[in-house]
Amino acid sequence: MLAPHGKWIVTNHMLSGPALLEQARLEEGQGRTEEARRAYSRFLEWYQLPGTREQHLVDEAHSALARLAGVKEVTRES
């Protein structure tokens, strides 16, 4: 759930990772780059060795950090 200041209050550790990712998305959407960077980084700490089901979330967080740092993504040509 969101606290009055827009930060996540997590009472279940199982939801901590996904809550951090959602917080990062919200922070980025509101233009708070430093807070978004911090939340994406904390999310990635939770998922250092992601399972198959979480890999797309980890990829999203890595892409977002690169975007926030001003690094252009390299797309693969098929």
Side-chain angles (χ1 to χ4, degrees):
M1 81 176 88
L2 278 178
H5 301 289
K7 301 294 180 193
W8 288 96
I9 296 176
V10 179
T11 56
N12 183 334
H13 288 291
M14 187 173 79
L15 300 176
S16 294
L20 284 167
L21 181 59
E22 191 60 28
Q23 177 185 346
R25 290 170 177 158
L26 290 169
E27 300 286 9
E28 184 178 4
Q30 294 177 356
R32 295 195 292 254
T33 352
E34 190 54 41
E35 292 86 350
R37 233 181 266 140
R38 198 173 7 256
Y40 280 123
S41 295
R42 289 184 59 212
F43 167 77
L44 290 171
E45 289 173 12
W46 278 85
Y47 288 96
Q48 291 179 2
L49 298 171
T52 310
R53 290 176 25 195
E54 295 86 14
Q55 186 61 53
H56 72 285
L57 300 174
V58 170
D59 293 342
E60 175 190 336
H62 280 294
S63 293
L65 281 174
R67 181 176 58 251
L68 291 169
V71 177
K72 290 188 178 186
E73 283 190 56
V74 177
T75 56
R76 295 183 206 176
E77 297 292 323
S78 298

